[in-house]
Amino acid sequence: MKPDLSTLAINTLRTLSIDAVQKANSGHPGLPLGAAPMAYVLWQHHLKHDPGAPTWFDRDRFVLSAGHGSALLYSLLHLTGYGLGLDELQQFRQWGSRTPGHPEWHDTPGVEATTGPLGQGAANAVGMAIAERFLARQFNRPGHEIIDHRTYALVSDGDIMEGVVSEASSIAGHLGLGKLLFLYDANHVTLDGPLSDSMSEDVAMRYAAYGWHVQRVENGDSDLAALDAAITAAKAETARPSIIVIRTTIGFGSPKKAGTSAAHGSPLGEPEVRATKQALGWDPDAHFFVPDEVRAHMVEGAKRGTDAHQTWDAKLAAYRAAHPDAAALLETAIRGELPAGWDHDLPTASPGDKPVATRGAGGKVMVALAARIPWLFGGDADLGGSTKTIVPGGNYVKIGEGKNLRFGIREHGMGAIGNGMLYHGGIRPFVATFLVFSDYMRPPVRLAALNKMPAIFVWTHDSVGLGEDGPTHQPVEHLMALRAIVNLCVFRPCDANETVAGWRYALAKTHGPTALILSRQDLPIVTQPGAPGAERGGYVLADGSDAILIATGSEVQVALAARDELSRQGVSARVVSMPCWELFAAQPQSYRDAVLPPAQHRRVSVEAGITFGWREYIGDRGVAIGIDRYGASAPGEVVLEKLGITPAAVVEAVQRTA
């Protein structure tokens, strides 16, 4: 008996996926075989998307958090008309293809997030749902619901186990994100064996405790009516995020590997591919085969989204006519641009003004920027009073109001949620915590850098100078660890004016994240208003010809004090402030040589962190002053003195270079 059209389409998704994995001799066939039914029901009957316009703003977002199942997503994109040809499926996991091993946001139209590191995509989806609600609150007007879409994520057992998903799910429940739905592929198998080897909790009860709407589908392999009904019910629940726990069989259809870890992370093998196709009623000799009726059926399903897009275009035209100013701002945000005059009249300071911590200076800049950029939005890990990243307007709560998102003590989730807001678009998020806790955030920071996303990470309490909290809270290796991340610009300003320059750079940047590294302790104003030169990453702050002192952040004042002492000894020292290595490295060689003349080998660096990496700028004959150990609990100025971050140490180092 010929299968019905829905089953035929699902089996097409299955066989395309296992063919792609087998041809590459690499990949994960199990999830596509098991999760194809839920994906089909969602994409064919519920997902609002337009393959002809993959970035249409009011589309629904679908995130394959279980990114190892990428062959399923690529098969969906192929069948629904995203221009991903069969030749691309046949080049799965190959150099230069648009079908990499795990989905990459910047490579393939229709891919909404780079996923694969388990848990990141699910947390990104939370960020997308937050962004949708924030923008709807900002821009919708009575009779003009111009922002109105949903976020879906397909999550796996592995995602559910990752801590970042616990953090993100907790905050999603707290915020009542009613337009968020997780499809949980509960196949009870992980890479190494049965899920029962490592987890026995009741996930449904856990999500109920988070405040989610929870449903179960016991037969996700073939009960399409139950899948459709559960998704429909989830869409009707507007006060809570939803999760559907869908029991599936990993490797469904594979006679020897279904239901086992053998189907998870390795190709089935040619004999088993043939046997699986036969079990599915497929021609075992047909490779990358798409029945004509399936292609027509899937394209027809996508037409629903195309029609919705056309309706939205008409709504947008009406919105422009009724609310031209709001529409102009919304379209600026959608383009990823900033409003005219966004950086005019930012706070400045002059030498002789009262010293101020760069965290405090950064807070004043944020308040000014938020008044001009309605979609500058973010928050902190329960440290807003310390990071100074609170802007007027209250906290973002369940109704979507407020200027500050209180992430709670959830740094990992915070970073991934921030990335999700960027994936969504129309918003410029920032996230903030202490620098030492950037360790908790490294996976989303790396993914932001990999994707060249303009994320803004605000990390304060930037050195042992924070004082009495001691070595558990005093960063020493963190600056260099962050500089090791490709595409991340690490900007550590020396005073209030360089802080303004850092914020201006971070917001103007469109390709790649920025880390703003700010001090707890007050720092004197040592630059002129605007900090001319800071935008180039390194510049001559005070000139001299006999030696070069290179410093960042709070240590610039140490270098300047050492310069004064050296001058009294008859040594003329140049002080170079280098707030951002990456920006300086991007300058023309002629500029870099003008700042750091190659012939001058008497060089000393000073930074309150590990000295690893400074040879790049001081050479083999230079001296690096830093802290190659952990800190200590004492007042900040005492710790800095005891650990040798002093003008006297710099002077002695210069003398050694003679």
Side-chain angles (χ1 to χ4, degrees):
M1 178 184 296
K2 187 174 181 178
D4 64 84
L5 194 52
S6 294
T7 301
L8 193 64
I10 290 167
N11 287 341
T12 302
L13 290 169
R14 286 167 165 157
T15 55
L16 283 176
S17 297
I18 62 174
D19 277 345
V21 171
Q22 192 59 44
K23 188 173 188 301
N25 196 29
S26 174
H28 300 72
L31 183 142
L33 286 168
M38 70 177 79
Y40 165 80
V41 171
L42 176 67
W43 280 60
Q44 191 69 5
H45 299 295
H46 296 277
L47 190 70
K48 183 177 70 172
H49 66 115
D50 182 359
T55 60
W56 160 46
F57 196 70
D58 203 42
R59 70 194 183 278
D60 290 342
R61 271 63 168 179
F62 172 76
V63 178
L64 182 68
S65 188
H68 55 277
S70 59
L72 174 60
L73 178 56
Y74 301 145
S75 298
L76 286 162
L77 295 175
H78 170 72
L79 291 179
T80 53
Y82 278 82
L84 195 69
L86 277 177
D87 59 325
E88 292 284 358
L89 298 187
Q90 292 167 356
Q91 290 300 305
F92 180 56
R93 291 187 163 223
Q94 304 308 301
W95 182 272
S97 78
R98 292 190 297 164
T99 51
H102 293 83
E104 295 181 26
W105 172 65
H106 47 75
D107 275 2
T108 312
V111 171
E112 299 283 9
T114 295
T115 57
L118 289 172
Q120 293 295 318
N124 294 156
V126 174
M128 293 176 186
I130 290 172
E132 190 274 345
R133 196 172 70 177
F134 178 84
L135 291 170
R137 188 73 186 183
Q138 284 275 342
F139 291 105
N140 286 354
R141 301 291 185 270
H144 296 275
E145 302 298 312
I146 202 67
I147 306 294
D148 183 15
H149 53 266
R150 299 179 181 277
T151 303
Y152 301 93
L154 195 162
V155 303
S156 65
D157 290 307
D159 288 296
I160 290 294
M161 284 194 283
E162 288 285 1
V164 65
V165 172
S166 297
E167 294 182 21
S169 298
S170 175
I171 197 168
H174 172 70
L175 294 175
L177 298 176
K179 292 183 179 178
L180 174 66
L181 170 59
F182 282 4
L183 299 173
Y184 170 27
D185 176 32
N187 61 47
H188 293 187
V189 173
T190 64
L191 184 65
D192 276 350
L195 180 67
S196 57
D197 287 350
S198 55
M199 190 176 85
S200 55
E201 67 198 51
D202 187 322
V203 174
M205 290 182 65
R206 174 174 141 201
Y207 272 79
Y210 287 147
W212 287 52
H213 172 228
V214 180
Q215 301 176 82
R216 296 179 187 266
V217 172
E218 295 301 331
N219 176 13
D221 295 332
S222 59
D223 193 345
L224 305 189
L227 289 166
D228 183 68
I231 295 172
T232 299
K235 290 164 65 177
E237 170 57 64
T238 60
R240 295 175 291 171
S242 292
I243 185 171
I244 307 172
V245 181
I246 305 170
R247 188 71 174 92
T248 66
T249 302
I250 191 170
F252 178 87
S254 170
K256 294 182 178 178
K257 297 186 178 181
T260 73
S261 61
H264 189 289
S266 300
L268 296 177
E270 288 288 359
E272 192 67 8
V273 167
R274 291 180 61 84
T276 302
K277 288 179 178 179
Q278 288 176 317
L280 296 173
W282 216 254
D283 180 356
D285 293 315
H287 300 287
F288 296 96
F289 173 61
V290 179
D292 291 341
E293 59 267 45
V294 168
R295 194 175 296 282
H297 174 63
M298 296 296 288
V299 170
E300 183 63 27
K303 186 177 182 301
R304 176 175 38 80
T306 303
D307 293 343
H309 184 185
Q310 292 174 350
T311 300
W312 186 78
D313 284 344
K315 289 171 62 177
L316 181 60
Y319 180 69
R320 285 195 195 104
H323 303 282
D325 292 343
L329 276 176
L330 173 60
E331 291 180 280
T332 298
I334 289 173
R335 290 193 302 269
E337 299 172 359
L338 297 169
W342 66 273
D343 62 345
H344 290 177
D345 303 320
L346 294 178
T348 60
S350 298
D353 287 355
K354 183 180 178 181
V356 60
T358 52
R359 62 168 176 163
K364 292 179 180 178
V365 177
M366 281 189 58
V367 170
L369 290 168
R372 299 187 182 110
I373 308 171
W375 51 92
L376 176 64
F377 173 63
D380 58 87
D382 198 52
L383 290 168
S386 294
T387 59
K388 308 300 181 186
T389 48
I390 296 175
V391 298
N395 294 331
Y396 178 89
V397 291
K398 290 192 176 186
I399 57 174
E401 293 180 324
K403 288 286 190 178
N404 303 282
L405 179 53
R406 306 312 297 267
F407 286 98
I409 303 90
R410 302 182 180 100
E411 289 89 353
H412 194 175
M414 177 176 72
I417 288 169
N419 284 351
M421 289 191 247
L422 277 170
Y423 284 130
H424 180 277
I427 199 163
R428 285 305 302 273
F430 64 88
V431 295
T433 187
F434 291 172
L435 177 57
V436 76
F437 300 139
S438 64
D439 286 340
Y440 288 147
M441 302 172 63
R442 195 171 183 86
V445 174
R446 182 180 186 271
L447 284 169
L450 186 155
N451 287 308
K452 299 181 179 177
M453 299 164 68
I456 300 174
F457 301 101
V458 180
W459 287 312
T460 69
H461 294 57
D462 68 343
S463 77
V464 297
L466 68 87
E468 292 86 347
D469 278 336
T472 61
H473 283 54
Q474 292 169 349
V476 289
E477 74 274 26
H478 297 74
L479 284 167
M480 289 302 177
L482 291 169
R483 287 171 181 149
I485 297 177
V486 178
N487 295 333
L488 175 66
C489 278
V490 180
F491 201 105
R492 186 180 185 230
C494 73
D495 68 0
N497 291 323
E498 282 195 355
T499 303
V500 174
W503 262 108
R504 182 181 281 117
Y505 169 75
L507 278 167
K509 189 176 183 182
T510 58
H511 292 85
T514 302
L516 297 174
I517 312 295
L518 307 177
S519 74
R520 176 184 184 271
Q521 71 270 36
D522 290 341
L523 303 178
I525 309 302
V526 297
T527 66
Q528 295 301 316
E535 74 280 359
R536 306 190 76 166
Y539 62 103
V540 178
L541 180 58
D543 209 358
S545 57
D546 297 331
I548 302 174
L549 312 180
I550 314 168
T552 76
S554 53
E555 289 70 69
V556 170
Q557 63 175 313
V558 176
L560 288 168
R563 176 180 183 267
D564 291 342
E565 177 57 30
L566 287 166
S567 178
R568 288 188 283 272
Q569 297 179 14
V571 178
S572 171
R574 168 179 289 191
V575 173
V576 171
S577 177
M578 192 177 286
C580 183
W581 284 25
E582 296 79 16
L583 262 177
F584 184 70
Q587 302 305 309
Q589 186 66 51
S590 57
Y591 176 80
R592 286 181 282 147
D593 287 348
V595 174
L596 300 174
Q600 180 52 268
H601 298 293
R602 297 186 70 187
R603 301 184 183 189
V604 174
S605 65
V606 54
E607 184 174 71
I610 62 171
T611 58
F612 176 81
W614 271 108
R615 290 290 165 203
E616 172 77 16
Y617 293 111
I618 64 173
D620 292 339
R621 294 164 61 179
V623 176
I625 293 178
I627 302 172
D628 291 314
R629 51 156 285 180
Y630 294 108
S633 181
E637 62 274 15
V638 174
V639 178
L640 288 164
E641 180 180 3
K642 294 292 186 181
L643 296 181
I645 309 299
T646 64
V650 177
V651 169
E652 190 274 334
V654 171
Q655 293 168 343
R656 282 193 280 137
T657 64

